[in-house]
Amino acid sequence: MDLTTVTSLRPARARADLVLAPGESVMGGGSWLFSEPQLEVSGLVDLMDLGWPPITVTPDGLEIAATCTIAELRAMEAQPTWHAHPLFAQCCSALLGSFKVWNVATVGGNICLALPAGPMTSMASALDAVAVIWTPDGSEREVPVAHLVLDVRTTGLAPGEVVRSIRVPQASLEATTAFRQIALSPLGRSAALVIARRNVDGSVVLTVTASTTHPVQWRFAALPSADEVTAAIETHTHWYDDAHGAPDWRASITAELARQVVAELAV
Amino acid sequence: MRFSVNGQSVDASAAPGQCLRTLLRDHEHYEVKKGCDAGDCGACTVLVEGSPVHSCIYPAARIDGKAVTTVSGLGTPEAPHPVQANFAAAGAFQCGFCTAGMVVTASAVTDPSTGVATMPDQLASQFKGNLCRCTGYRSIRDALAGTVNTCDAPAGQAFGVSVPAPAGKRIVTGREPYTLDFTTRSVLHLAIVGSPHAHARIMAIDASRAEALAGVRAVFTHRDVPDVLFSTARHESRLDDPDDTRILDPIVRFRGQRVAAVVADTLAIAQEACRLVEVTYDELPSVFDAHAARSPGAPLLHGDKNADTHRVVDPERNVVAETHGEIGDVDAALNAATAVVSGTWTTARVSHVALETHAARGWLDDAGRLTIRTSSQIPFLVRDELCHIFGLDQESVRVFTARVGGGFGGKQELLTEDLVALAVLRTGLPVQYEFTREDEFSIAPCRHPMTIDVTLGAGADGVLTALDVDVLTDTGAYGNHAAGVMFHGCHESVALYRCANKRVNAEAVYTNNLPSGAFRGYGLGQIIFAIESAMDDLARELQIDPVELRRRNVVVPGDPMLVNGPDHDSDLQYGSYGLDQCLDLVDKALARTSGNMGDDVALPSGPQWRFGTGMATAMIATIPPRGHFTEVSVRTDEPGVYTVGVGTAEFGNGTTTVHTQFAASALGTDVSHIRIEQSDTDKASYDTGAFGSAGSVVAGKAVLLAAERLRDQIVAAAATMAGVDVTECLLQPDAVATPAGPIPLADILHAYGPLSADAKGDGSPRSVAFNVHAFKVAVDTVTGEVQILQSVQAVDAGVIINPEQLRGQVEGGTAQAIGGALYEEMHLDQGTVTTRTLRNYHVPQWADVPDTEIYFADTVDALGPRGAKSMSEAPYNPIAPALANAIRDAIGVRPYELPMSRDRIWRLLHP
């Protein structure tokens, strides 16, 4: 929709352009910004002209630019050791938006939205990816994505901070993953999204999103039993409540999906 | 910046916050539609550099240097793209408003030479960003498989044939204009200030800052409007609804209600000015629960009104309409019954989600006459009420519609036209008021939520002896459609059963929630959900097959159709009766598949799944009660070409096709020789409107009659010219065949001049139609998921005018009702709607809707045109109870509450 309060739009072409004036907001793909009235926003700074390479394979793993589109991530080819590769497409498909939105929406934008059902948050959290954040003083800091998304529509970004990229550790890419998502309808917005990751050393990370207000993780030294999974999930008490599912149901199905993903990794 | 659209270069500048959709429409690319303006519905889909995007969430500035292709660039009516040809041949649209986006999206996932899907098993996910509210998706699936569902008919033989909609090729190529798809120079835009309170008295309004804003032309408040009360609901008689609404009222009764309206040069200025209007409110106590609203001490919403003047039955109890009555002795019958079942059922608020939002544009024509083009089902009733409100005579107001993008009852309301009329009359300038999708959810009327208690009693033989129904409807802050929905909802649902002892108590109650209004089925769906669920419980209690239980108790011709009292003056008749056939057809279809399993789809596997079967029955009158009037004309002033003037609006109801079929059949010609001029107070004498499924059987019947009269005139003229008897003459496409040789129509027109004939209809007497639906389902006891394994509907629509269109109406109603049964629910928090976008209010997507087997009863209606009956609302009505009964069969616990969402089903199993 037209953002009628917006009176300026400027492309960012260098880091210096990311210094925001009052009322300005950075824009990735724009697919969310343009989907709701933004009465507090008077200016947009377009990140898409920064020319960040969407995907860079490094010796340490994978660097995904914040401006990488969902479609680009989904089309990324696997490396021989990346057992976790299917997770990228699974999480891209979990986006409520259609493939036409994938063509525009960005990985960084999805994470910075801090929606419980943001599947890029799910993906990055489950892989223990780290957000590289450009700070206004010209330096950068790193925060695990699972700790960057704090609450519904709330991130740990300070004013003026911009997510530059998501770094996925090589060890996570080499891990095996299992994915489950459920919604109130077959292809609806996620009510619970559960990912289990089994590392090469046998340790397991269980990541829950969508049914919680921020990513919630449990770590196990070895593959847990179903009872251990259930007990772990039961330690969480605050389940998200919105039009996409009641909290009591979300608690129950999250536990169920958690048991399923762990069981899948046992096979 | 410079970009190209459909190969043509465009120089343009975009506002910083502008999206591509509006930029394209600014350049008269009206084929790019607004359904949600939020990236959810896909109606605005275009190709950017060959890649499909939702243009409403695509920053316009980013289009610099790029190539855009819209649906109109893919092909033309004469040379359609293969996908467009497939959509037309399959009849893959009803209102057609989503079609532009569907076609563009399809072009990206189909073989470019055939228009057939390259990955058919991926279609459900590929199309999750394209919503169609009309079709139920089957016909679109057919289009992408290359299936042809429509066909041509020989001259004079279009009746009963699946001829395509006349607008089809224009719709699939983006050429058909909808309400706002035309250019008006210097049109002003109207925006409203909405109340932040659920109930408040406006103490002061200071609009000075808004008025001082450059570009603001006018600000209207309650001080500026006629002191006339009316109802947004429109019926043939304005006395059907309470006079409880002002254009702008000094008291606001729900959150979002209009407080002031700003007219400005642009929408952005109007919206900014709205934020500058300062309003002082005196907040009043509010009530959001219908039970509480009629209890002593509740705040009164319309305590200043009365029964005689305003037609509010009991304003001291917030009751706007009521019926209380009994036949026989229900209590005694229940005491004596072998089996008694009872329960309390509730239904949710549901939004129509017509893809085209409410919108109107008005101006003064060259003669200074108020002219309004609007998205409405009822242009004549809108005109008449505008005349009432503004004290104008009918000749000084013209109201018309172009093709309308869906209605479902939601456009049987006066929601935009009053403000547009006010603004046009005061400024003298063209003014437009367009609802956003958020407006549709938050201030447009929704379906009435109801609480329904049902108690049934029966003997061991399964014969109903007592039927006791208590209904409470929440009509929200205003009483539009309150009485009609309540009375209609209680009527055919209860009258369906032959039972000596019946009692119905019903009340429609004001609350400080947004208004409820007319919705497909008009109250029947809610009450049928309760009664048919109770009937299922009774069948279980008596261990009688549920279909057999219906056979023993449904009315048959000769039975009176009674509710809670004598029905002396009813014009409702058994013009035909096919319920027995419908029950048999559904029984047979269920028997075709084994047990509860259904055989047509892969069964879910795992120990957590339970399987069940359920059915439900519905009856509906073919026409709204108390008169539905129409006056049509058919004329010929060009040899062999006939023009029909008819008031019915086309919004996916398919009546334009039907009217064409009637006229072409009577006039012995091809449907391509029929022109329909419709839904315009200047082009037809009168029509009550396109609601209550009246388009085919009232207006259509009159079209048939007028066409037959014109045929008789033409034949008589030819007989005279040839010197033969009329009985020896036959009207053909170009001539009248006579024993003396053909008399060319050109010669007849030359001799007699233009010929025309008129016909009227009054919608009385009325017949009844029937729908029986059954489902086989699988229910996941761990997650609450419901999978539909088999879906069957048998329909008694009399003689079928257009099989493919009828199938489409049944499928569309089924899909919409599956939405209401399983998914759709407006959430409110103290009167504030919290589900304000399509991503938070789930209407059925492609993936959600199974194919439905559809069977037609073989009946001929004595009252309808050529034996036909109406059938557009009715398929919705049996769906929710049929699904509920199947779920009950599967899991052993009855769902009482709609929607039967996964979390609710899960909770039934884990109390």
Side-chain angles (χ1 to χ4, degrees), chain B residues 411-430:
Chain B
K411 291 171 181 172
Q412 194 189 341
E413 305 267 2
L414 183 66
L415 297 180
T416 55
E417 301 92 340
D418 55 338
L419 279 176
V420 168
L422 177 77
V424 170
L425 292 170
R426 298 290 168 83
T427 64
L429 297 169

PDB file of all heavy atoms in Angstrom, chain B residues 411-430:
ATOM      1  N   LYS B 411     -22.609  -6.231   0.181  1.00  0.00           N
ATOM      2  CA  LYS B 411     -22.863  -5.017  -0.588  1.00  0.00           C
ATOM      3  C   LYS B 411     -24.367  -4.760  -0.746  1.00  0.00           C
ATOM      4  O   LYS B 411     -24.794  -4.116  -1.694  1.00  0.00           O
ATOM      5  CB  LYS B 411     -22.119  -5.090  -1.920  1.00  0.00           C
ATOM      6  CG  LYS B 411     -20.603  -5.007  -1.696  1.00  0.00           C
ATOM      7  CD  LYS B 411     -19.746  -5.285  -2.898  1.00  0.00           C
ATOM      8  CE  LYS B 411     -18.266  -5.188  -2.505  1.00  0.00           C
ATOM      9  NZ  LYS B 411     -17.363  -5.645  -3.586  1.00  0.00           N
ATOM     10  N   GLN B 412     -25.115  -5.322   0.203  1.00  0.00           N
ATOM     11  CA  GLN B 412     -26.530  -4.968   0.338  1.00  0.00           C
ATOM     12  C   GLN B 412     -26.629  -3.925   1.457  1.00  0.00           C
ATOM     13  O   GLN B 412     -27.479  -3.997   2.334  1.00  0.00           O
ATOM     14  CB  GLN B 412     -27.362  -6.221   0.662  1.00  0.00           C
ATOM     15  CG  GLN B 412     -28.871  -6.022   0.500  1.00  0.00           C
ATOM     16  CD  GLN B 412     -29.663  -7.202   1.040  1.00  0.00           C
ATOM     17  OE1 GLN B 412     -29.143  -8.296   1.213  1.00  0.00           O
ATOM     18  NE2 GLN B 412     -30.939  -6.977   1.329  1.00  0.00           N
ATOM     19  N   GLU B 413     -25.707  -2.996   1.415  1.00  0.00           N
ATOM     20  CA  GLU B 413     -25.581  -1.986   2.467  1.00  0.00           C
ATOM     21  C   GLU B 413     -25.209  -0.655   1.807  1.00  0.00           C
ATOM     22  O   GLU B 413     -24.539  -0.625   0.782  1.00  0.00           O
ATOM     23  CB  GLU B 413     -24.433  -2.346   3.438  1.00  0.00           C
ATOM     24  CG  GLU B 413     -24.520  -3.715   4.081  1.00  0.00           C
ATOM     25  CD  GLU B 413     -25.213  -3.728   5.432  1.00  0.00           C
ATOM     26  OE1 GLU B 413     -25.679  -2.663   5.879  1.00  0.00           O
ATOM     27  OE2 GLU B 413     -25.286  -4.812   6.028  1.00  0.00           O
ATOM     28  N   LEU B 414     -25.585   0.390   2.482  1.00  0.00           N
ATOM     29  CA  LEU B 414     -25.238   1.752   2.067  1.00  0.00           C
ATOM     30  C   LEU B 414     -24.071   2.199   2.946  1.00  0.00           C
ATOM     31  O   LEU B 414     -24.284   2.708   4.035  1.00  0.00           O
ATOM     32  CB  LEU B 414     -26.465   2.643   2.286  1.00  0.00           C
ATOM     33  CG  LEU B 414     -26.450   4.106   1.877  1.00  0.00           C
ATOM     34  CD1 LEU B 414     -26.355   4.243   0.375  1.00  0.00           C
ATOM     35  CD2 LEU B 414     -27.726   4.781   2.363  1.00  0.00           C
ATOM     36  N   LEU B 415     -22.844   1.966   2.500  1.00  0.00           N
ATOM     37  CA  LEU B 415     -21.685   2.211   3.363  1.00  0.00           C
ATOM     38  C   LEU B 415     -20.792   3.341   2.876  1.00  0.00           C
ATOM     39  O   LEU B 415     -20.068   3.946   3.670  1.00  0.00           O
ATOM     40  CB  LEU B 415     -20.835   0.937   3.480  1.00  0.00           C
ATOM     41  CG  LEU B 415     -21.502  -0.271   4.119  1.00  0.00           C
ATOM     42  CD1 LEU B 415     -20.527  -1.436   4.168  1.00  0.00           C
ATOM     43  CD2 LEU B 415     -22.018   0.046   5.517  1.00  0.00           C
ATOM     44  N   THR B 416     -20.787   3.591   1.599  1.00  0.00           N
ATOM     45  CA  THR B 416     -19.906   4.632   1.059  1.00  0.00           C
ATOM     46  C   THR B 416     -20.692   5.730   0.353  1.00  0.00           C
ATOM     47  O   THR B 416     -20.272   6.872   0.305  1.00  0.00           O
ATOM     48  CB  THR B 416     -18.936   4.031   0.028  1.00  0.00           C
ATOM     49  OG1 THR B 416     -19.718   3.360  -0.986  1.00  0.00           O
ATOM     50  CG2 THR B 416     -17.972   3.039   0.658  1.00  0.00           C
ATOM     51  N   GLU B 417     -21.847   5.361  -0.204  1.00  0.00           N
ATOM     52  CA  GLU B 417     -22.530   6.264  -1.127  1.00  0.00           C
ATOM     53  C   GLU B 417     -23.093   7.497  -0.438  1.00  0.00           C
ATOM     54  O   GLU B 417     -23.204   8.563  -1.066  1.00  0.00           O
ATOM     55  CB  GLU B 417     -23.660   5.506  -1.848  1.00  0.00           C
ATOM     56  CG  GLU B 417     -23.174   4.284  -2.657  1.00  0.00           C
ATOM     57  CD  GLU B 417     -23.191   2.984  -1.868  1.00  0.00           C
ATOM     58  OE1 GLU B 417     -23.206   3.027  -0.608  1.00  0.00           O
ATOM     59  OE2 GLU B 417     -23.183   1.909  -2.495  1.00  0.00           O
ATOM     60  N   ASP B 418     -23.471   7.358   0.855  1.00  0.00           N
ATOM     61  CA  ASP B 418     -24.037   8.515   1.552  1.00  0.00           C
ATOM     62  C   ASP B 418     -22.994   9.610   1.724  1.00  0.00           C
ATOM     63  O   ASP B 418     -23.271  10.791   1.498  1.00  0.00           O
ATOM     64  CB  ASP B 418     -24.648   8.098   2.902  1.00  0.00           C
ATOM     65  CG  ASP B 418     -23.669   7.369   3.801  1.00  0.00           C
ATOM     66  OD1 ASP B 418     -22.671   6.814   3.300  1.00  0.00           O
ATOM     67  OD2 ASP B 418     -23.881   7.361   5.032  1.00  0.00           O
ATOM     68  N   LEU B 419     -21.786   9.226   2.126  1.00  0.00           N
ATOM     69  CA  LEU B 419     -20.736  10.230   2.293  1.00  0.00           C
ATOM     70  C   LEU B 419     -20.308  10.815   0.954  1.00  0.00           C
ATOM     71  O   LEU B 419     -20.032  12.017   0.848  1.00  0.00           O
ATOM     72  CB  LEU B 419     -19.520   9.617   3.000  1.00  0.00           C
ATOM     73  CG  LEU B 419     -19.598   9.508   4.523  1.00  0.00           C
ATOM     74  CD1 LEU B 419     -18.362   8.794   5.062  1.00  0.00           C
ATOM     75  CD2 LEU B 419     -19.732  10.887   5.161  1.00  0.00           C
ATOM     76  N   VAL B 420     -20.252   9.971  -0.068  1.00  0.00           N
ATOM     77  CA  VAL B 420     -19.888  10.473  -1.394  1.00  0.00           C
ATOM     78  C   VAL B 420     -20.942  11.458  -1.884  1.00  0.00           C
ATOM     79  O   VAL B 420     -20.621  12.537  -2.408  1.00  0.00           O
ATOM     80  CB  VAL B 420     -19.697   9.304  -2.383  1.00  0.00           C
ATOM     81  CG1 VAL B 420     -19.603   9.820  -3.822  1.00  0.00           C
ATOM     82  CG2 VAL B 420     -18.448   8.505  -2.022  1.00  0.00           C
ATOM     83  N   ALA B 421     -22.201  11.106  -1.681  1.00  0.00           N
ATOM     84  CA  ALA B 421     -23.281  12.010  -2.104  1.00  0.00           C
ATOM     85  C   ALA B 421     -23.172  13.335  -1.367  1.00  0.00           C
ATOM     86  O   ALA B 421     -23.255  14.411  -1.975  1.00  0.00           O
ATOM     87  CB  ALA B 421     -24.643  11.363  -1.833  1.00  0.00           C
ATOM     88  N   LEU B 422     -22.959  13.260  -0.068  1.00  0.00           N
ATOM     89  CA  LEU B 422     -22.821  14.486   0.727  1.00  0.00           C
ATOM     90  C   LEU B 422     -21.684  15.346   0.182  1.00  0.00           C
ATOM     91  O   LEU B 422     -21.841  16.555  -0.038  1.00  0.00           O
ATOM     92  CB  LEU B 422     -22.543  14.107   2.190  1.00  0.00           C
ATOM     93  CG  LEU B 422     -22.299  15.263   3.156  1.00  0.00           C
ATOM     94  CD1 LEU B 422     -23.615  15.936   3.518  1.00  0.00           C
ATOM     95  CD2 LEU B 422     -21.598  14.771   4.426  1.00  0.00           C
ATOM     96  N   ALA B 423     -20.543  14.700  -0.044  1.00  0.00           N
ATOM     97  CA  ALA B 423     -19.358  15.451  -0.466  1.00  0.00           C
ATOM     98  C   ALA B 423     -19.528  16.027  -1.864  1.00  0.00           C
ATOM     99  O   ALA B 423     -19.118  17.156  -2.136  1.00  0.00           O
ATOM    100  CB  ALA B 423     -18.131  14.544  -0.409  1.00  0.00           C
ATOM    101  N   VAL B 424     -20.145  15.268  -2.762  1.00  0.00           N
ATOM    102  CA  VAL B 424     -20.362  15.768  -4.127  1.00  0.00           C
ATOM    103  C   VAL B 424     -21.351  16.932  -4.106  1.00  0.00           C
ATOM    104  O   VAL B 424     -21.143  17.968  -4.743  1.00  0.00           O
ATOM    105  CB  VAL B 424     -20.858  14.633  -5.045  1.00  0.00           C
ATOM    106  CG1 VAL B 424     -21.310  15.195  -6.397  1.00  0.00           C
ATOM    107  CG2 VAL B 424     -19.778  13.583  -5.242  1.00  0.00           C
ATOM    108  N   LEU B 425     -22.410  16.771  -3.348  1.00  0.00           N
ATOM    109  CA  LEU B 425     -23.436  17.829  -3.315  1.00  0.00           C
ATOM    110  C   LEU B 425     -22.878  19.111  -2.696  1.00  0.00           C
ATOM    111  O   LEU B 425     -23.231  20.219  -3.111  1.00  0.00           O
ATOM    112  CB  LEU B 425     -24.665  17.345  -2.542  1.00  0.00           C
ATOM    113  CG  LEU B 425     -25.463  16.214  -3.220  1.00  0.00           C
ATOM    114  CD1 LEU B 425     -26.510  15.640  -2.264  1.00  0.00           C
ATOM    115  CD2 LEU B 425     -26.136  16.717  -4.498  1.00  0.00           C
ATOM    116  N   ARG B 426     -21.993  18.969  -1.699  1.00  0.00           N
ATOM    117  CA  ARG B 426     -21.473  20.171  -1.031  1.00  0.00           C
ATOM    118  C   ARG B 426     -20.320  20.819  -1.796  1.00  0.00           C
ATOM    119  O   ARG B 426     -20.169  22.033  -1.770  1.00  0.00           O
ATOM    120  CB  ARG B 426     -20.998  19.826   0.385  1.00  0.00           C
ATOM    121  CG  ARG B 426     -22.087  19.319   1.292  1.00  0.00           C
ATOM    122  CD  ARG B 426     -23.101  20.414   1.672  1.00  0.00           C
ATOM    123  NE  ARG B 426     -24.269  19.832   2.302  1.00  0.00           N
ATOM    124  CZ  ARG B 426     -24.326  19.511   3.596  1.00  0.00           C
ATOM    125  NH1 ARG B 426     -23.312  19.734   4.378  1.00  0.00           N
ATOM    126  NH2 ARG B 426     -25.435  18.972   4.088  1.00  0.00           N
ATOM    127  N   THR B 427     -19.486  20.006  -2.428  1.00  0.00           N
ATOM    128  CA  THR B 427     -18.332  20.591  -3.121  1.00  0.00           C
ATOM    129  C   THR B 427     -18.607  20.819  -4.601  1.00  0.00           C
ATOM    130  O   THR B 427     -17.919  21.608  -5.246  1.00  0.00           O
ATOM    131  CB  THR B 427     -17.094  19.674  -3.019  1.00  0.00           C
ATOM    132  OG1 THR B 427     -17.377  18.445  -3.715  1.00  0.00           O
ATOM    133  CG2 THR B 427     -16.735  19.367  -1.570  1.00  0.00           C
ATOM    134  N   GLY B 428     -19.568  20.084  -5.148  1.00  0.00           N
ATOM    135  CA  GLY B 428     -19.823  20.168  -6.584  1.00  0.00           C
ATOM    136  C   GLY B 428     -18.762  19.465  -7.414  1.00  0.00           C
ATOM    137  O   GLY B 428     -18.774  19.546  -8.640  1.00  0.00           O
ATOM    138  N   LEU B 429     -17.856  18.762  -6.751  1.00  0.00           N
ATOM    139  CA  LEU B 429     -16.716  18.159  -7.451  1.00  0.00           C
ATOM    140  C   LEU B 429     -16.785  16.630  -7.342  1.00  0.00           C
ATOM    141  O   LEU B 429     -17.460  16.099  -6.468  1.00  0.00           O
ATOM    142  CB  LEU B 429     -15.411  18.654  -6.817  1.00  0.00           C
ATOM    143  CG  LEU B 429     -15.183  20.172  -6.936  1.00  0.00           C
ATOM    144  CD1 LEU B 429     -14.028  20.612  -6.053  1.00  0.00           C
ATOM    145  CD2 LEU B 429     -14.937  20.552  -8.399  1.00  0.00           C
ATOM    146  N   PRO B 430     -16.084  15.936  -8.238  1.00  0.00           N
ATOM    147  CA  PRO B 430     -16.055  14.471  -8.145  1.00  0.00           C
ATOM    148  C   PRO B 430     -15.343  14.028  -6.870  1.00  0.00           C
ATOM    149  O   PRO B 430     -14.312  14.596  -6.509  1.00  0.00           O
ATOM    150  CB  PRO B 430     -15.253  14.038  -9.382  1.00  0.00           C
ATOM    151  CG  PRO B 430     -15.234  15.224 -10.285  1.00  0.00           C
ATOM    152  CD  PRO B 430     -15.337  16.430  -9.404  1.00  0.00           C
TER     153      PRO B 430
END
